[in-house]
Amino acid sequence: MSLVNGEKKIENNLKKTNYWRWFGFILAVIGAYILGNAQVLSQWIGWAICSISCLIWIFMGIKDRDIPRTLMEVMYFIIGIRAIINWINFN
């Protein structure tokens, strides 16, 4: 009996994280689209959106215990923050 309830609990948790995964994906697409416009004034916005997406994927990687993906996203997050600082100082 508890196994069935446990399976339902796992299924509900998976559904909740799937929404976050899709939200992270959508943010990554929007951020990449803004970065692809190649307009200097909007570059920091694209990097900021992509960095938020990376944060979501860092949490998902930790939740999944996927260390390589988590480390990759941490690297992209650090580069994104560095890019935001560079673009703000550029203008």
Side-chain angles (χ1 to χ4, degrees):
M1 184 74 172
S2 65
L3 183 61
V4 173
N5 290 336
E7 287 176 2
K8 287 182 181 180
K9 188 174 183 178
I10 291 170
E11 185 178 317
N12 286 337
N13 285 338
L14 185 61
K15 286 180 182 179
K16 289 178 186 176
T17 60
N18 277 341
Y19 292 124
W20 280 106
R21 292 172 201 274
W22 280 110
F23 184 61
F25 172 73
I26 290 167
L27 285 178
V29 171
I30 292 169
Y33 181 80
I34 292 171
L35 287 170
N37 284 338
Q39 294 178 1
V40 175
L41 295 176
S42 66
Q43 293 292 302
W44 72 273
I45 297 171
W47 282 111
I49 293 171
C50 286
S51 295
I52 294 168
S53 172
C54 284
L55 268 180
I56 292 170
W57 286 107
I58 289 168
F59 289 126
M60 292 298 110
I62 291 169
K63 183 173 180 58
D64 295 343
R65 295 186 176 131
D66 187 351
I67 302 301
R69 180 179 52 158
T70 303
L71 292 175
M72 179 189 68
E73 294 297 337
V74 167
M75 179 202 62
Y76 283 131
F77 178 74
I78 292 169
I79 290 171
I81 297 302
R82 181 177 177 264
I84 293 167
I85 293 168
N86 284 337
W87 281 109
I88 289 174
N89 288 335
F90 178 74
N91 292 323

